[in-house]
Amino acid sequence: MSSSHSDIEKVVSAIIEKVKPRREDYERLRQVYDTVSQLLTECLGPLNREFVISLQGSVAKDTFIRGEVDIDVFVLFNPQQVDETWFGSEFVNIVTECFKRRNYEVRLEYATHPYVTAVVDGVEVNVVPAFRVENPKKIISAVDRTPFHTEYVVKKLSPEQRDHVRVLKLFLKAWNIYGAEVAVQGFSGYVTELLVIAYGSFDRVLKAATKWRPYRTCIDIEGHYPDERRCIERFRDSVLVVVDPIDPDRNAAAAVSIKSFALFKLLSYLFTIKPSLEFFDKPRTIVPSTWSRDIHDRLRAIGSCLIHLVFKVRKPIPDAVWGQLRRVERVLLNELKSLRLSVLAIDSWVDKSLSRAIVAIEIADCDKEFEVHKGPIALDLDNALRFLIKNANALAGPWLGYDGRLYCIRKRKYSAYEAVERIAKKLASLSVLELERVESDIPTIANHDFVEWLYGFVFRKQFERIARIMEST
Amino acid sequence: MSSSHSDIEKVVSAIIEKVKPRREDYERLRQVYDTVSQLLTECLGPLNREFVISLQGSVAKDTFIRGEVDIDVFVLFNPQQVDETWFGSEFVNIVTECFKRRNYEVRLEYATHPYVTAVVDGVEVNVVPAFRVENPKKIISAVDRTPFHTEYVVKKLSPEQRDHVRVLKLFLKAWNIYGAEVAVQGFSGYVTELLVIAYGSFDRVLKAATKWRPYRTCIDIEGHYPDERRCIERFRDSVLVVVDPIDPDRNAAAAVSIKSFALFKLLSYLFTIKPSLEFFDKPRTIVPSTWSRDIHDRLRAIGSCLIHLVFKVRKPIPDAVWGQLRRVERVLLNELKSLRLSVLAIDSWVDKSLSRAIVAIEIADCDKEFEVHKGPIALDLDNALRFLIKNANALAGPWLGYDGRLYCIRKRKYSAYEAVERIAKKLASLSVLELERVESDIPTIANHDFVEWLYGFVFRKQFERIARIMEST
């Protein structure tokens, strides 16, 4: 079950061939940066404030994937001269106007504070205001750390390793665990870079990952902590700890969820056993014309059903929307469980324009009016008594099962749909989402992207290609 | 939630009124015993072997329930003169002939060795051959202990306590946990007597039982063991230990199953909270004329089904038949579980003439062709890989669930019926049972007793009356 080193090398070389930028890519990016830099100098000059224009992000670090790039241009100010509110009240307006005057497409975006995105020569350029500080201990806003990150990564990564970062990024992207945003809860670009710095190469990162243990692994490149135990204690709630080399109090991998962690670990294991180019393909769900019938047949096969919460998005801030959607999922899971309804799958979809969101739930045994209800063990006398009294009118039982527990068959309090509707009504304080309706079956939404997503949600063939590759192991 | 002492006393007095034999009962039993004793003396005298005729059992101990009595007449031989094979080859024939000549109904029965049961004046009389030994350490056959048991109980029980034994016996009988036979696996008459000796009265037995812990309780009246721990160590596999006062190496309660134990403990608790005459009523299942439709409706309510193994009984020995039926149940439970079929209930029925036996199984979700299959957690890499490969062709998935486990929806290997049929075929070495057929639905058996049993099996309303009594608590 072990692959030879040359198998891995072959795959990695092929992927490098695909992700490594060409000379013309660099030239084009350089031109875009020069254009933006010049424009900003012109527009910001008259303000009479010190600033330094600086290239940041994956272009500065040369770890971007060919064809998948935006440029981060930081404008670093003297914190003595401006403050963060000034970024929002003045800077973004000046920059927006500046780009608009030259007929560039431009929009306002929000991270820790607002910034401007312009499209220049087909390339997205993020113009981010930040403070210029002496060292990482003195940062004012979170983005002020970025120049130090860039400096560190540039210093540490060899040219070969930069290609390995690109390979790792593509691997993560293919499985939708690239990025620290709430929608993904995966591995940021910076974490990807740190992993290659820590382990040396793409394949060594994957080999190491197969040994990671959730809440028990600390990657501390600069040795800021005396030992792993002390490091883990400091970041108790983190699934994975990658100590930020320029700020030992920060876990660069704090966004990684247990699900992303488990998926990456499993994929790493599968890849090291059977390296294959297919690990790097983003699966496209091909929705057959019979999709609606397929979904119904699939649900009927085990007697489950689909229920959807359809929301209008009030504020198109991705992290806020996804944060609330995940919260809705958690609440639904817990409340449905306490009503003894078994959730087979739950996930959320948001349309591209960020105007509508849907939480989809698949519930098992929806068609049943009655349920087998498992009670306490008979030896737990108080609870056994309560169970007997409460279920005196059950359809069958209460009876003492061969496992020593009490059971009965009783009417369900709520149907699956009723239960979801009740829980949905209780979900009041959703600031960025507004519940429009609860729909069962396939919701009446004319959106091909949603249908594609729903088809994937119902069939959940996430590992199909990989399983087929592994079969020949 | 606590009952007053007088509530319990009232119920106990009423039950004593019901179970205490009247003068005429004693007279009649004495007459029957005299008749049998005289007859045996006549028939066995010519053999020229020493013997002593001795009254044993609940009549000798005066702990029998009025109207529910058989008489145990022991014929004690000198072990120097006869051996156990002689009991089977000579004794039973002579006694059988003896009774037959006088036109008494008579039949041969088997316990540890054969004995004869005759019906005299409407009373069943068991004529049991045994050896007369000096003390319990010298017994040759298991029944040789009986005279020592009788002697001990007679010496220890006060007249009031004998009535409490009767009350306890009726309580146990009402819930079908009276008797050490395999069909019951409950509390023998002797254990019932020892419990009243140990705790003093019916209600004190019940109060004590609410504190019993399975595999952790030792009742050692004569203090044969230095402490409870040592006693429990000696009888490691016993759910409940009642040390036989006349043989410290014997657990008189060895037959008590965990289910009987749990049921008795729970009932004891319920009775002490709410003493009621209804605890002493054996529930009669009233089968409505709509029984067949009721059963179908009940099964349809949760999508379960009934499957039956119908056996011909080869040898009508109750303990052997029940022993094998319970083994069949265990095997079915385990094998169906390993095929991921969920057994809701399993039990066996034997007809009164001991010629036919049926194991009935209720299986959940019989109608489903597909099942949700729960795999390993994704972090368990080897097993996760195996799961992915094995289920590459699943209807849905494999997918990574929100609980970190892999899942898929796949076709069932066998339908419930096919699975039971396969397991039944493998159950080869059943010496006293012969599998006739496997039937689904309601088997084609014209037997009212079976229908009554099946109706009870499907609705399992064992605690119905009690739950209603407890409701007003």
Side-chain angles (χ1 to χ4, degrees), chain B residues 136 139 145 149 190 224 235 243-251:
Chain B
I139 62 159
R145 247 190 233 102
H149 288 167
Y190 184 47
H224 286 300
F235 301 102
V243 179
D244 189 340
I246 65 130
D247 181 353
D249 274 330
R250 185 174 171 266
N251 172 18

Side-chain angles (χ1 to χ4, degrees), chain B residues 353-389:
Chain B
S353 66
L354 232 67
S355 63
R356 182 144 44 186
I358 294 176
V359 175
I361 313 153
E362 184 185 352
I363 297 180
D365 301 327
C366 274
D367 47 346
K368 286 183 190 160
E369 203 187 336
F370 290 83
E371 63 182 354
V372 177
H373 181 38
K374 188 176 178 175
I377 55 165
L379 295 171
D380 176 2
L381 300 173
D382 279 339
N383 286 319
L385 169 60
R386 263 190 287 276
F387 187 86
L388 288 180
I389 294 174

Side-chain angles (χ1 to χ4, degrees), chain A residues 1 209-212 214 258-263 265-266 269-270 273 297-298 300-304 333 342-346 362 364-365 367-372 378-382 384-385 388-402 404 406-407 409-410 458-464 466-468 470-471 473, chain B residues 1 209-212 214 258-263 265-266 269-270 273 297-298 300-304 333 342-346 362 364-365 367-372 378-382 384-385 388-402 404 406-407 409-410 458-464 466-468 470-471 473:
Chain A
M1 297 267 285
T210 63
K211 306 230 156 47
W212 289 352
I258 181 72
K259 198 172 162 179
S260 301
F261 177 93
L263 183 55
K265 180 170 161 144
L266 179 57
Y269 180 68
L270 300 176
I273 289 173
D297 287 352
R298 151 66 195 81
R300 193 161 357 106
I302 61 154
S304 64
L333 262 179
S342 159
V343 175
L344 289 177
I346 188 162
E362 185 186 351
D365 302 325
D367 47 347
K368 285 183 192 160
E369 204 187 336
F370 290 83
E371 63 183 353
V372 176
L379 295 171
D380 176 2
L381 300 174
D382 280 338
L385 169 60
L388 289 180
I389 293 174
K390 206 173 157 194
N391 298 294
N393 294 313
L395 173 61
W399 73 87
L400 181 54
Y402 45 78
L406 291 172
Y407 287 86
I409 294 172
R410 65 177 192 186
V458 169
F459 286 93
R460 305 193 273 280
K461 284 292 199 182
Q462 179 172 29
F463 294 102
E464 189 175 34
I466 298 307
R468 297 209 187 288
M470 304 310 293
E471 264 180 313
T473 311
Chain B
M1 295 266 286
T210 63
K211 306 228 155 45
W212 289 352
I258 182 72
K259 198 172 161 178
S260 302
F261 177 92
L263 182 55
K265 181 171 161 143
L266 178 57
Y269 179 67
L270 299 176
I273 289 174
D297 288 351
R298 152 64 195 83
R300 194 162 357 106
I302 61 153
S304 64
L333 261 179
S342 160
V343 175
L344 289 176
I346 188 162
E362 184 185 352
D365 301 327
D367 47 346
K368 286 183 190 160
E369 203 187 336
F370 290 83
E371 63 182 354
V372 177
L379 295 171
D380 176 2
L381 300 173
D382 279 339
L385 169 60
L388 288 180
I389 294 174
K390 208 174 156 193
N391 297 294
N393 295 312
L395 172 62
W399 73 88
L400 181 54
Y402 45 78
L406 291 171
Y407 287 86
I409 294 172
R410 64 177 192 187
V458 169
F459 285 94
R460 306 193 273 281
K461 283 291 196 187
Q462 174 171 34
F463 294 103
E464 190 175 32
I466 298 308
R468 296 207 189 289
M470 304 310 295
E471 263 179 316
T473 311

Side-chain angles (χ1 to χ4, degrees), chain B residues 41-180:
Chain B
T41 309
E42 281 172 35
C43 296
L44 296 171
L47 297 179
N48 272 328
R49 282 179 169 104
E50 293 170 28
F51 64 89
V52 175
I53 295 171
S54 157
L55 181 63
Q56 299 293 337
S58 61
V59 177
K61 294 180 279 192
D62 190 17
T63 57
F64 64 97
I65 294 173
R66 186 208 314 167
E68 295 182 20
V69 66
D70 48 5
I71 301 179
D72 294 341
V73 178
F74 274 48
V75 186
L76 303 170
F77 289 92
N78 181 341
Q80 240 87 84
Q81 294 182 346
V82 299
D83 63 11
E84 219 170 340
T85 55
W86 181 83
F87 293 160
S89 61
E90 302 277 331
F91 176 86
V92 294
N93 296 332
I94 294 161
V95 172
T96 302
E97 280 311 302
C98 176
F99 280 94
K100 271 192 179 164
R101 272 201 304 274
R102 307 288 176 102
N103 289 319
Y104 290 115
E105 188 191 323
V106 63
R107 65 176 186 272
L108 198 58
E109 306 222 34
Y110 299 84
T112 44
H113 54 236
Y115 65 94
V116 177
T117 296
V119 183
V120 178
D121 193 16
V123 178
E124 293 219 335
V125 181
N126 307 309
V127 180
V128 182
F131 296 108
R132 195 177 177 194
V133 294
E134 280 165 53
N135 66 58
K137 287 199 179 71
K138 299 198 171 157
I139 62 159
I140 297 155
S141 81
V143 290
D144 303 347
R145 247 190 233 102
T146 302
F148 298 98
H149 288 167
T150 305
E151 192 186 4
Y152 181 82
V153 171
V154 165
K155 192 176 74 195
K156 288 284 188 167
L157 280 179
S158 72
E160 290 73 32
Q161 285 177 331
R162 292 202 288 268
D163 288 339
H164 281 245
V165 170
R166 296 185 229 269
V167 174
L168 181 54
K169 282 183 178 178
L170 192 70
F171 186 86
L172 294 166
K173 277 179 178 227
W175 292 90
N176 202 25
I177 48 175
Y178 178 70

